[in-house]
Amino acid sequence: MKRLKLTVAYDGTNYCGWQIQPNGITVEEVLNRALRKLTGEEITVIGASRTDSGVHALGNVAVFDSETSIPPERISYALNQRLPDDIVVIRSRRSVSRTGHSAIHVIQKKTYEYHILNAKIPDPTRRLTRYFVSFDLDIEKMKKAAQYLVGTHDFVSFCNVRTDVEDTVRTIYSLDILPVGDEITIRIQGNGFLYNMVRIIVGTLVRVGRGFYTPEQVQEILEAKNRKAAGVTAPPQGLFLVGIEYEK
């Protein structure tokens, strides 16, 4: 028995998130089904990050145990022939760890990007991967506001109230606002994220960009430790899990 590691990209539009649940099809379920057909074994993958319904990924990670004789680096090619077009295994290899789930236990950094289409008229070709905002946004104010979130803080104000996590302290290493043409990319890297945390941060920064909050009020929102103090939760389609880095 060996442990194998997959790096997976997917368009989350048609899925109820990563994790298996009773109310709809998920990425994990589709991967399990393809692996079982490929290997003939009862395989269940374990994902490093549980993305929500409608959220995309460029580099999520999953591991599973198998006795298959297929070379690890060839599993990605064989799986992609059995997966729908909106899920792709970018890479497959032997996992360096056989004890525990290294993809979860030694995560050092996660990187997300949120993409905004800031234009007067929506673009139907980008509707599934961009958050359309027709109002003018002040990028410099958004950049200033973002810096109040960098560092180690209690992010309970930026967490969905339905979460059952007890420790809401997280560290954000960088938070960049990157405008190019009619698109704004918000790139955020941290040691972990609470439920809906990135989307609530984006919703709050958009409110700053529109002038509803001053940049300085973002610090007040942090200190309030109250979800009602922050902005709305931005929609899921603009969010991408870009990558996961591990401690060596």
Side-chain angles (χ1 to χ4, degrees), residues 142-155:
M142 291 173 69
K143 288 181 177 180
K144 185 175 180 181
Q147 294 313 301
Y148 288 103
L149 299 173
V150 176
T152 301
H153 306 285
D154 186 340
F155 282 96

Side-chain angles (χ1 to χ4, degrees), residues 188-209:
I188 182 169
Q189 187 175 77
N191 66 350
F193 296 90
L194 302 167
Y195 183 42
N196 284 165
M197 177 174 160
V198 175
R199 290 165 58 191
I200 295 170
I201 286 174
V202 170
T204 302
L205 291 177
V206 167
R207 298 279 288 180
V208 172

Side-chain angles (χ1 to χ4, degrees), residues 16-121:
C16 295
W18 170 274
Q19 188 177 18
I20 290 177
Q21 51 185 288
N23 63 341
I25 191 76
T26 64
V27 178
E28 183 181 31
E29 180 182 348
V30 173
L31 271 177
N32 287 342
R33 190 163 57 224
L35 280 165
R36 290 166 186 171
K37 288 181 179 179
L38 176 64
T39 65
E41 301 170 287
E42 192 63 26
I43 286 174
T44 300
V45 301
I46 304 173
S49 188
R50 299 173 179 178
T51 52
D52 294 335
S53 178
V55 174
H56 316 293
L58 301 177
N60 205 348
V61 172
V63 298
F64 65 96
D65 295 328
S66 174
E67 294 180 348
T68 181
S69 60
I70 302 172
E73 66 277 5
R74 300 298 303 175
I75 288 176
S76 58
Y77 299 98
L79 266 182
N80 286 334
Q81 295 176 20
R82 294 164 172 81
L83 289 169
D85 292 342
D86 52 7
I87 301 176
V88 175
V89 178
I90 300 171
R91 190 180 307 109
S92 58
R93 61 185 180 184
R94 187 82 175 256
S95 176
V96 297
S97 174
R98 276 292 297 122
T99 58
H101 179 20
S102 62
I104 290 176
H105 291 154
V106 291
I107 288 176
Q108 185 179 37
K109 295 178 183 177
K110 283 187 181 181
T111 302
Y112 283 92
E113 285 185 355
Y114 194 97
H115 296 271
I116 297 171
L117 172 59
N118 189 206
K120 296 303 180 185
I121 299 175

